[in-house]
Amino acid sequence: MGRDAHGKRALYSGVRPPGPPGPRGTSLAVTCSRCGRTSTIGLRRALWVLMPSVHLPLPLGHPSLLRCPACGRPSWVRLTLRSHP
Ligand SMILES: [Zn+2]
């Protein structure tokens, strides 16, 4: 029993990297081509915003059509994922 617990503790302290677990520090930046503003939103709100959305296979410009969080209208936007460690 005692040996088992010690082994587990050693494994966790050795392998786990420091920092908060999960995707908590990730947000989505939405740059709107209509109003020109960039909105940074959390992942939960991003899911809501992205619900009806269209994405074109273009690497440049504003390839995604969705409801802009800043002006609230369907707009062509550029999406950028940001993570805050
Ligand atoms: Zn907008």
Side-chain angles (χ1 to χ4, degrees), residues 14-81:
V15 173
R16 297 283 286 186
R24 198 173 167 78
T26 306
S27 60
L28 189 70
V30 181
T31 304
C32 178
S33 65
R34 187 192 291 269
C35 65
R37 282 190 283 180
T38 300
S39 312
T40 304
I41 55 179
L43 279 190
R44 281 179 66 182
R45 185 158 163 78
L47 286 177
W48 184 81
V49 166
L50 288 169
M51 201 48 83
S53 61
V54 177
H55 302 276
L56 299 181
L58 300 173
L60 299 172
H62 300 79
S64 300
L65 180 66
L66 53 84
R67 206 167 42 232
C68 168
C71 60
R73 303 180 65 182
S75 318
W76 291 101
V77 303
R78 185 172 56 232
L79 301 173
T80 311
L81 259 184

